Amino acid sequence: MTHEAADPRVDAAAELAGPAGPVALGIVRTPTGHAGVDAHLARLADADHLEADGHVEVYEDVHRGLREALTALDAPPVPGPYENRS
């Protein structure tokens, strides 16, 4: 049984090359029909081009925007200029 040692040149070349870099996950985002929500979800694609440590900023931004969109749904409607009659 022959046991070959790993070539140290191959290991050194892989170490110098470093990580391959960001790779898009290719997740399909289905439109919701709500323009504001769809815009926030589309922002998630920005994370595809960032290193992992840059994802947090994008995720927090999207989360904040989606939270604001949901909060707006709970807000009472603002009366129009002619709806304030007594």
Side-chain angles (χ1 to χ4, degrees), residues 2-8 11:
T2 307
H3 198 6
E4 296 180 23
D7 187 345
D11 292 337

Side-chain angles (χ1 to χ4, degrees), residues 27-85:
I27 297 173
V28 177
R29 293 168 192 88
T30 305
T32 65
H34 186 279
V37 171
D38 290 340
H40 291 299
L41 294 177
R43 168 104 165 87
L44 289 172
D46 294 345
D48 288 345
H49 310 289
L50 300 172
E51 296 291 334
D53 60 349
H55 290 189
V56 173
E57 180 182 343
V58 173
Y59 294 157
E60 286 178 348
D61 182 46
V62 170
H63 183 255
R64 183 175 31 260
L66 292 173
R67 188 176 56 236
E68 289 171 2
L70 285 172
T71 301
L73 292 174
D74 291 335
V78 177
Y82 300 107
E83 294 179 18
N84 204 7
R85 298 181 195 162

